[in-house]
Amino acid sequence: MPSLVLSSVSFRWPDGSIALDRVSGSFSDGRTGLVGRNGTGKSTLLKLAAGALAPTGGTVTRDGDVAYLPQRLTLDVDAGVADLLGIAEPLTALRAIESGDADPRRFDAVGDDWDVEARGHAALAEAGLPPEALDRTVGTLSGGEAILAATLGLRMRRAPITLLDEPTNNLDRDARERLYGVVRAWRGALVVVSHDTRLLELMDDTAELHAHELSVFGGPYSEWRAWLETEQQAAQQAEVDAKKSLAKEKRQRSEAESKLAKRARTAHRAEVEKRVPKIVAHGRKQAAQVSAGRLRTEVAEKEAEARAAHDAAQRRVRDDDSIRLDLPDPDVPPSRRIATFASGAAAPDPDGVSAPDSTGPDAPWRSATHDPDGGPADSASDPDERGTAASKATAVVDRGEPESSAALVTDPAEPAGDASANVQDRTAPDGRPPSAPQITERHWIVQGPERIALIGPNGSGKTTLLQALVGAITESAGTAVPTSSGDDDPSATASSWRNRTSATASAGPAPNAAAPASSESGAAPATASSGILPSATAHTERIGYLPQRLDGLDDDESVLDTVRAAAPDVPDRELRNRLARFLIRGAMVDRPVRTLSGGERFRVLLARLLLADPPPQLLVLDEPTNNLDLDTIDQLVGALSVYRGAIVVVSHDDAFLERLGVDLTLELCDGVMRQV
């Protein structure tokens, strides 16, 4: 029996734009994944189903209460975690009763929920939180913990219908795994909007909102996708057959008209030449006219039927939105050194006291300087002096995975070909003797067009490390800043290139930029308490950076002007041809950026990066699949698959990383980087 029914539901925004137009469908008990392209109205449909919006037409029928988790969850950081779980009132009443308060209102508040505290503790355990978190405020939770707690709070409400809008957005791997476990055990009707294919695989049914039509398939996302591909192949074949049938009917109609015209000429000649009596000729003429009319009607009807069948077949075939690119060569041979990652190392403590955690967006990362010549990025000139710096305390280790050419070497300045095992012990800068525990770290050299994935829990400092890799930038602006201001600076041209190719225009200092270093080289002191912090160094100035937030485009600029800024020497005609391969065609090229949908804006940003002239040798992508629908993710994978430069990407989306063909995965956790 359906739990949620939509009957000819329509919704218009105050400006008159249509979000949904006479959508009908139903959701039954069990788990249903709702998919569709961005802009089709999935979130609007959930808001209508939850009662957060009222339809401008049609009706929504609900079989019971509805619990709803919006895509952008606004939380009161001063509220209690118990409030987030939805148990604050009965929990407060229960504790008051246990303290001796016999007020009848307390008992009314508890009702039959005498195990509310135990259930709250169980929910917190599912979110990876201790029991005492029940008495903390929401502001003490991480974003992922808050989302998990809010989702578990909806489950504790035991509403017959629950709606979740993109619940895994911005969750790290651990939080996602916990959410998957919550969803697996869900009872009642659950409708989930998501582009997370692992989450969608947990669904009993898959619903799609496409062209204002809601269809439901009995099975998880992979089965629906396979069915859709088969259906589309059949639809394409049906279109081909219908086109042939229409051409045949057109040909037969033309042949019929030719026959009728020939008969008419013959009859007219016979009448003129008086071969038969006039009355007989007149009778034949009338009979021919009746026969011609019947034939014309018959062939016209057949052609109309064939045309209708062709139109119906065409409607079944969806637009081919695949990106097919032929990108300029970024000139990244396999031997070209692109970047260096250093693992960092926790300081050994002979007393058994671990080093403090140096993670998070405000962690004092060692700053990474650009080295366009591929040499070391240390600012110290004396080798012995560099040897005592934190960045020189290294371990020579094996390359690890044999299929990856990202090497582990003693020092970024040394060749990547030496794979011998050897540890260099250095006297720590705090004056400890050589016999004391030493601090060592590893370096990974990115060479040629490799794909490197950087993973780790939220708050571990991945974005900060990317910012260090790209240069002195802001996350919202994504623009590298020149290292010096002189016109004679040799890096000025390269820095200007970065300014053109970054995702957005410069917007000033970053609020979360890496903290200033304590030395000229930017290296944090390697002390027994702080250890060595992970770092990243780029050996090219030609870097394209796509930050998490994509809101820095100039809304007043046209699409063409936006992309032209990254390729000023490419003629407009050629630039338009290249944009067409990103599905940016026709009038869209001249539209202001503000008129674009989210998916269109993303394609413009991607085109600006990949069509830059000269092309970037390194692409740095920070959570690129966040907030993208599945079709746009397909387009992103298609574009990156033909890019011949190096890629460094931060992502929690394992399916995306697998499709990208990652060569090396580095995990950042507890202030140390390691290969996984």
Side-chain angles (χ1 to χ4, degrees):
M1 178 178 177
S3 299
L4 183 64
V5 179
L6 296 90
S7 302
S8 298
V9 171
S10 298
F11 183 80
R12 290 176 179 266
W13 294 107
D15 63 0
S17 58
I18 299 174
L20 297 172
D21 186 23
R22 292 173 291 180
V23 173
S24 296
S26 62
F27 298 95
S28 302
D29 281 347
R31 301 181 296 267
T32 302
L34 178 58
V35 300
R37 295 177 181 174
N38 286 346
T40 56
K42 302 185 299 297
S43 294
T44 303
L45 188 149
L46 287 196
K47 291 176 182 178
L48 291 168
L53 292 176
T56 53
T59 58
V60 178
T61 305
R62 310 169 186 86
D63 186 19
D65 293 336
V66 178
Y68 170 54
L69 181 74
Q71 185 174 150
R72 292 177 177 83
L73 185 62
T74 302
L75 297 173
D76 181 0
V77 295
D78 295 324
V81 173
D83 291 297
L84 193 59
L85 293 174
I87 60 173
E89 184 178 359
L91 179 63
T92 301
L94 176 63
R95 288 176 172 176
I97 293 172
E98 291 174 343
S99 299
D101 189 343
D103 189 332
R105 290 175 296 180
R106 300 293 192 186
F107 289 88
D108 292 338
V110 174
D112 297 326
D113 207 0
W114 293 99
D115 63 342
V116 61
E117 187 162 8
R119 291 196 302 115
H121 289 163
L124 291 176
E126 287 189 75
L129 294 169
E132 54 268 23
L134 196 60
D135 298 311
R136 288 160 47 186
T137 62
V138 174
T140 64
L141 304 182
S142 70
E145 290 169 343
I147 292 294
L148 282 172
T151 304
L152 289 163
L154 297 185
R155 192 182 69 179
M156 293 182 71
R157 282 183 52 183
R158 300 169 180 169
I161 306 167
T162 303
L163 313 174
L164 306 179
D165 195 355
E166 297 286 3
T168 60
N169 266 8
N170 304 308
L171 296 189
D172 59 26
R173 278 173 174 74
D174 180 68
R176 289 190 181 205
E177 290 296 336
R178 293 182 183 278
L179 183 68
Y180 298 154
V182 171
V183 169
R184 288 189 189 97
W186 204 281
R187 294 183 179 181
L190 176 67
V191 181
V192 182
V193 169
S194 181
H195 66 264
D196 183 342
T197 54
R198 286 192 61 193
L199 178 60
L200 293 173
E201 281 302 300
L202 303 178
M203 302 294 111
D204 302 309
D205 300 324
T206 300
E208 184 192 24
L209 187 59
H210 176 75
H212 301 290
E213 292 185 3
L214 181 65
S215 58
V216 181
F217 173 84
Y221 175 78
S222 60
E223 294 180 9
W224 170 78
R225 189 75 181 187
W227 169 84
L228 181 63
E229 290 176 358
T230 301
E231 195 276 337
Q232 281 298 292
Q233 290 174 358
Q236 291 168 2
Q237 184 59 50
E239 182 189 20
V240 171
D241 295 341
K243 187 176 182 179
K244 291 180 179 178
S245 179
L246 177 59
K248 177 183 176 182
E249 294 301 331
K250 287 181 175 179
R251 185 172 61 254
Q252 289 181 346
R253 182 176 182 178
S254 178
E255 291 173 354
E257 289 292 343
S258 297
K259 289 180 180 179
L260 291 175
K262 184 176 180 181
R263 289 177 185 177
R265 288 195 299 271
T266 301
H268 180 70
R269 190 180 305 112
E271 184 179 3
V272 171
E273 295 177 357
K274 298 181 179 181
R275 298 176 187 172
V276 296
K278 186 175 182 180
I279 190 171
V280 174
H282 183 67
R284 288 180 178 178
K285 183 178 181 180
Q286 286 185 325
Q289 288 175 343
V290 172
S291 176
R294 188 183 303 114
L295 181 60
R296 284 193 176 97
T297 300
E298 181 179 340
V299 296
E301 288 177 350
K302 288 183 178 180
E303 183 181 349
E305 291 174 0
R307 189 180 300 279
H310 180 251
D311 291 343
Q314 276 188 322
R315 286 193 294 270
R316 286 179 58 196
V317 178
R318 303 191 177 188
D319 294 335
D320 182 7
D321 282 341
S322 299
I323 291 180
R324 296 182 176 89
L325 300 177
D326 182 17
L327 297 175
D329 188 355
D331 187 24
V332 183
S335 60
R336 176 69 162 91
R337 182 177 294 186
I338 298 298
T340 299
F341 287 91
S343 66
D349 192 335
D351 297 326
V353 180
S354 60
D357 184 17
S358 299
T359 61
D362 296 320
W365 299 105
R366 289 186 290 133
S367 64
T369 58
H370 288 275
D371 177 20
D373 297 325
D378 274 316
S379 63
S381 58
D382 180 34
D384 293 332
E385 183 181 346
R386 292 200 306 271
T388 62
S391 61
K392 188 63 179 178
T394 59
V396 183
V397 296
D398 187 66
R399 290 182 179 227
E401 298 295 333
E403 64 271 16
S404 174
S405 63
L408 294 163
V409 300
T410 304
D411 184 84
E414 297 181 11
D418 184 8
S420 60
N422 176 37
V423 177
Q424 285 188 330
D425 290 332
R426 299 282 183 181
T427 301
D430 61 354
R432 286 178 298 159
S435 60
Q438 301 298 309
I439 302 173
T440 60
E441 71 173 351
R442 298 177 176 181
H443 287 89
W444 291 268
I445 304 296
V446 181
Q447 292 184 177
E450 291 191 315
R451 270 71 171 143
I452 310 300
L454 183 61
I455 65 174
N458 285 344
S460 59
K462 300 183 299 297
T463 293
T464 306
L465 192 64
L466 289 192
Q467 292 174 342
L469 176 65
V470 177
I473 56 173
T474 70
E475 179 182 353
S476 62
T479 301
V481 178
T483 55
S484 65
S485 58
D487 294 337
D488 57 346
D489 180 11
S491 67
T493 301
S495 298
S496 174
W497 184 93
R498 289 201 306 271
N499 288 335
R500 296 202 315 268
T501 58
S502 57
T504 57
S506 177
N512 295 329
S518 58
S519 64
E520 282 189 6
S521 65
T527 65
S529 61
S530 65
I532 306 172
L533 297 170
S535 66
T537 304
H539 304 308
T540 175
E541 293 281 357
R542 288 164 50 186
I543 303 174
Y545 178 47
L546 193 68
Q548 284 193 43
R549 297 184 62 184
L550 307 177
D551 55 357
L553 288 175
D554 187 342
D555 285 344
D556 294 326
E557 273 196 340
S558 70
V559 171
L560 184 62
D561 289 339
T562 298
V563 178
R564 186 194 289 122
D569 298 328
V570 177
D572 282 1
R573 183 185 182 90
E574 176 62 23
L575 204 54
R576 288 176 182 270
N577 290 337
R578 294 181 185 180
L579 284 172
R581 296 172 184 173
F582 285 84
L583 312 179
I584 303 171
R585 312 182 182 100
M588 180 181 171
V589 175
D590 299 309
R591 284 166 52 189
V593 170
R594 68 158 58 91
T595 66
L596 304 181
S597 67
E600 290 169 342
R601 288 175 70 97
F602 181 80
R603 290 204 303 275
V604 170
L605 287 163
L606 191 61
R608 178 169 177 161
L609 288 180
L610 296 180
L611 296 181
D613 185 30
Q617 294 181 323
L618 171 64
L619 287 183
V620 179
L621 313 175
D622 194 357
E623 293 287 2
T625 62
N626 270 5
N627 304 309
L628 297 187
D629 59 42
L630 293 164
D631 287 326
T632 308
I633 292 175
D634 289 342
Q635 294 166 2
L636 174 62
V637 171
L640 296 180
S641 65
V642 297
Y643 173 65
R644 287 166 285 181
I647 296 175
V648 175
V649 56
V650 167
S651 180
H652 297 300
D653 189 338
D654 290 331
F656 167 71
L657 293 178
E658 182 177 350
R659 295 175 65 188
L660 190 60
V662 171
D663 299 299
L664 174 70
T665 300
L666 301 175
E667 182 180 32
L668 189 60
C669 186
D670 296 329
V672 177
M673 191 186 303
R674 67 184 182 92
Q675 182 175 345
V676 296

